[in-house]
Amino acid sequence: MRKKTQLMIATMLFSTTVAVSQMKVRDELPEKYKWNLSDLYATDEAWRAEKEKIQQKMQEVTRYQGKLTQSAATLLEALSFNSTLIKDMVRLSSYASMKSDQDTRVTKYAGMKQEMQQLFAEYGALTSFMEPELLTLQEEQLNRFFTQEKELTTYKFYLTDLLRKRAHRGSEEVEKVLAYSSLMSGNAANIFSTFSNAEFPHAEIDLNGERIKLNPANFALYRASEDRNVRSKVFETYFRKLNEFQRTFGAQLYGNINAALFATKARKYESTLQRALDDGNIPTAVFHNLIKNVNGNLETFHRYLNLRKRMMGLDTLHYYDLYAPLVEKVDLAYTVEEAVENILKSLKPLGTDYINVSKKAFNERWIDMYPNEGKRSGAYSNGSAYDVHPYILMNYNGKYNDMSTLTHELGHTMHSYLTNKKQHFANADYSIFVAEVASTLNEELLNDYMLQQIKDDKTRLAILGNYLEGAKGTLFRQTQFAEFESMIHDRVAKGEALTGEDFDQMYLELTRRYYGHDKNVCIVDDYIKSEWSYIPHFYYNFYVYQYATSFTASTALSEKVLRGTDEDRRRYLDFLSAGSTKYPVELLVDAGVDMNTSEPFDLTIAKINKVMAEMEAILTRMGK
């Protein structure tokens, strides 16, 4: 999920939304609902010219070889050259990636993405001398350089962090090999993405007299149907189709784990988990404590599942019931225009400046809103084009969850925007560990705003239920994913060869434990074993646990933003502007939450139980 004439927001609010069913061909979409990638490059030809220019320019980096530690001035010059070049390369990569994502079937843009992977690998090889040379710096010499060249302090965090990881860096030759290995290390993820988004033969089913291709966007839409027969049919059809390619998906995921294991051994880490967390200097205990805490509170999760069963009037809850509306005959459908209006009003606690930039995102085509044939599924914010602005990819289907996803991605976008404005490019990135704080806090602000507007019991139940859906999806579900990752990585590290059948078995057993299948809390049908095979995050290597930790952090911070002082809000906005100037755990402490303690998790569980208690009271009052 990371890194122009302004229209009045009222213009958007009164425009007509085109029905999702008509949004099948990209050319038919109104321009205002498509992102404007010409802000990056006017044309593909301009992109090509810039790439060729950078390809020539990057050869000059070799002039610094053997000279990095000679003087503070030379070191500053080399780091500045490197930073500027990477910034321009990332912009190129962003364009190619987003062009490809808007229609993954277009081979031209898939090829441009591959060109960028090759370019980064080539540059990585050219700069393979840098870190080994920098690692010869001693602390006294580095401090002297900082005194001699004040501008060098821009790179202080990078340099001191590099020295911290000295034991995990190799010789120049080793670093060169590792740089070239990137040409192969991403192959499993690339094949998965291409196959899943562009070539997978999605099943077609008859729903209400209409023939529907069950692609990811339609699966997300129809799994939320109020008709239980539709939900059951959609789930079974979708996952059984996935299972037809169990061997292929299994080989891809196993290959990805082996690539991570190679890098782990080459970098001299004890485990793939340790390597993944070390970039942010995050102890592995944070990961293990999350899994331990969630497993210790599965009763709270099961309370939610039993509440859902009660609200839906079911004798038995099935996995395919988990995305259905909680309350019958409550219209929680929102046009894009209604969603924008609600989101902007919900962001009032964050101040006028925050809202004004959010309006620019909605009005100046930073967002690709609707699904179209071949478009990448899901949603993300790309804030990596430092000199331009962030972009958002959506697949908006008009449900409350889509409105919530939109403000979620807007949170990422604002995090990137504020960091890019405040920090030098060298410090403008931010750890995945803190990335989900801004997004989930935005969701909490939206829920709080909607609850203030709605007093009707049924609708209020639906909004409160949406918060629980977020808790289910972000805290419990993502922790389950993290535990699955831990299991499969551990088994491969022990020398086991895993197949799609192995992944099926492990995933089904774990899912049934989390959802209380054996206790009859929620029945997890056999075909759910295939769910792992369509989740792209398993190719990100220990990414998903950070959704859960961020959820707990944002729960604590949202209370400060909503009900705290102006100083609390200022500290939060400062956090959004801090980039990578400190380690993520330290940044959160500055914002007002300490992830070294169990307090954020305990507060989150307490809030979840409080919400459920209110919902149970409403149901009792309604005689249900």
Side-chain angles (χ1 to χ4, degrees), residues 442-582:
N442 265 24
E443 291 185 66
E444 297 226 17
L445 294 183
L446 178 64
N447 268 3
D448 184 82
Y449 170 76
M450 298 302 290
L451 287 170
Q452 289 177 27
Q453 312 310 309
I454 297 168
K455 304 304 178 185
D456 173 71
D457 276 344
K458 282 189 176 181
T459 309
R460 190 170 180 83
L461 277 174
I463 302 299
L464 288 168
N466 185 74
Y467 171 79
L468 292 185
E469 293 295 280
K472 181 262 287 185
T474 309
L475 180 58
F476 294 104
R477 181 171 165 84
Q478 299 301 331
T479 301
Q480 176 204 336
F481 287 172
E483 188 168 354
F484 178 68
E485 276 192 287
S486 181
M487 292 164 60
I488 61 180
H489 277 257
D490 285 349
R491 285 182 59 170
V492 174
K494 292 174 183 177
E496 296 186 40
L498 299 181
T499 66
E501 188 175 357
D502 295 319
F503 292 130
D504 278 358
Q505 180 183 352
M506 295 166 68
Y507 190 83
L508 185 62
E509 289 177 0
L510 183 66
T511 305
R512 284 179 166 171
R513 175 162 61 81
Y514 265 73
Y515 286 81
H517 174 87
D518 293 339
K519 300 177 181 178
N520 204 38
V521 176
C522 177
I523 300 303
V524 179
D525 295 290
D526 177 72
Y527 55 78
I528 300 299
K529 65 185 179 183
S530 303
E531 186 174 38
W532 61 270
S533 61
Y534 94 110
I535 297 169
H537 297 75
F538 291 145
Y539 293 83
Y540 302 170
N541 298 323
F542 299 104
Y543 179 102
V544 294
Y545 88 97
Q546 295 162 116
Y547 284 112
T549 53
S550 291
F551 185 81
T552 62
S554 66
T555 297
L557 288 174
S558 66
E559 291 299 308
K560 296 177 182 293
V561 169
L562 285 167
R563 285 168 268 281
T565 64
D566 289 341
E567 175 64 15
D568 289 323
R569 286 182 279 276
R570 183 196 64 77
R571 290 175 68 186
Y572 174 68
L573 292 172
D574 286 346
F575 159 78
L576 295 184
S577 304
S580 57
T581 53
K582 291 183 178 181

Side-chain angles (χ1 to χ4, degrees), residues 12 37 48 71 116 161-162 186 215 222 370 424 515 523 525 556-557 583:
M12 279 194 69
L37 297 184
R48 175 71 56 193
S71 71
M116 288 310 303
D161 184 56
L162 177 63
N215 57 29
Y222 289 105
Y370 285 112
H424 185 280
Y515 286 81
I523 300 303
D525 295 290
L557 288 174
Y583 291 118

Side-chain angles (χ1 to χ4, degrees), residues 80-295:
S80 298
F81 178 92
N82 181 62
S83 181
T84 299
L85 205 60
I86 291 176
K87 173 172 66 69
D88 294 339
M89 289 169 65
V90 167
R91 181 167 174 168
L92 285 168
S93 184
S94 294
Y95 181 86
S97 176
M98 289 187 286
K99 274 284 191 177
S100 178
D101 287 347
Q102 66 189 28
D103 191 341
T104 58
R105 301 168 301 179
V106 180
T107 57
K108 173 184 178 181
Y109 297 119
M112 287 165 61
K113 283 175 62 178
Q114 292 172 350
E115 287 181 50
M116 288 310 303
Q117 289 177 321
Q118 293 171 347
L119 191 67
F120 275 106
E122 183 182 349
Y123 187 65
L126 288 171
T127 57
S128 59
F129 69 89
M130 292 188 73
E131 292 197 349
E133 279 190 38
L134 292 173
L135 288 169
T136 66
L137 283 168
Q138 299 302 312
E139 189 174 348
E140 288 184 7
Q141 183 184 12
L142 186 58
N143 289 334
R144 187 166 65 251
F145 279 3
F146 288 142
T147 301
Q148 293 169 354
E149 283 284 355
K150 300 299 183 184
E151 290 184 30
L152 196 57
T153 56
T154 297
Y155 303 93
K156 185 172 185 178
F157 183 83
Y158 162 72
L159 290 167
T160 54
D161 184 56
L162 177 63
L163 296 186
R164 177 185 68 84
K165 295 182 282 193
R166 196 192 302 264
H168 302 293
R169 292 298 183 270
S171 66
E172 181 180 339
E173 285 303 311
V174 169
E175 292 300 314
K176 185 175 291 188
V177 170
L178 287 172
Y180 281 130
S181 74
S182 66
L183 291 171
M184 301 176 293
S185 61
N187 282 353
N190 288 337
I191 294 169
F192 169 82
S193 178
T194 300
F195 181 51
S196 298
N197 291 300
E199 296 185 343
F200 188 83
H202 297 290
E204 293 188 358
I205 57 174
D206 293 313
L207 295 176
N208 302 319
E210 185 179 359
R211 192 70 174 168
I212 301 294
K213 179 184 284 188
L214 207 53
N215 57 29
N218 281 332
F219 173 64
L221 178 64
Y222 289 105
R223 71 181 179 182
S225 171
E226 293 185 4
D227 187 331
R228 198 179 192 204
N229 290 328
V230 169
R231 299 196 300 270
S232 176
K233 184 177 181 180
V234 162
F235 260 82
E236 184 167 5
T237 302
Y238 191 78
F239 285 122
R240 291 204 185 283
K241 190 65 177 180
L242 286 172
N243 196 246
E244 291 179 18
F245 298 88
Q246 172 209 76
R247 296 175 183 83
T248 297
F249 284 120
Q252 289 168 180
L253 186 54
Y254 178 63
N256 184 75
I257 299 169
N258 274 317
L261 189 60
F262 165 78
T264 295
K265 292 182 179 296
R267 291 285 183 204
K268 303 174 186 176
Y269 285 101
E270 294 179 5
S271 66
T272 53
L273 175 65
Q274 184 191 40
R275 173 178 167 267
L277 271 58
D278 192 47
D279 272 350
N281 197 24
I282 298 167
T284 55
V286 172
F287 178 91
H288 292 304
N289 286 338
L290 171 68
I291 293 176
K292 179 182 177 182
N293 285 333
V294 167
N295 275 274

Side-chain angles (χ1 to χ4, degrees), residues 287-312:
F287 178 91
H288 292 304
N289 286 338
L290 171 68
I291 293 176
K292 179 182 177 182
N293 285 333
V294 167
N295 275 274
N297 284 274
L298 285 179
E299 286 187 4
T300 295
F301 185 39
H302 294 169
R303 180 183 179 185
Y304 152 77
L305 294 170
N306 284 319
L307 178 60
R308 171 173 269 280
K309 183 193 303 184
R310 176 183 176 185
M311 292 176 69
M312 295 179 71

Side-chain angles (χ1 to χ4, degrees), residues 4-22:
K4 330 171 187 180
T5 302
Q6 182 174 356
L7 301 176
M8 296 296 292
I9 190 67
T11 303
M12 279 194 69
L13 293 175
F14 289 103
S15 62
T16 302
T17 301
V18 181
V20 174
S21 61
Q22 298 173 6

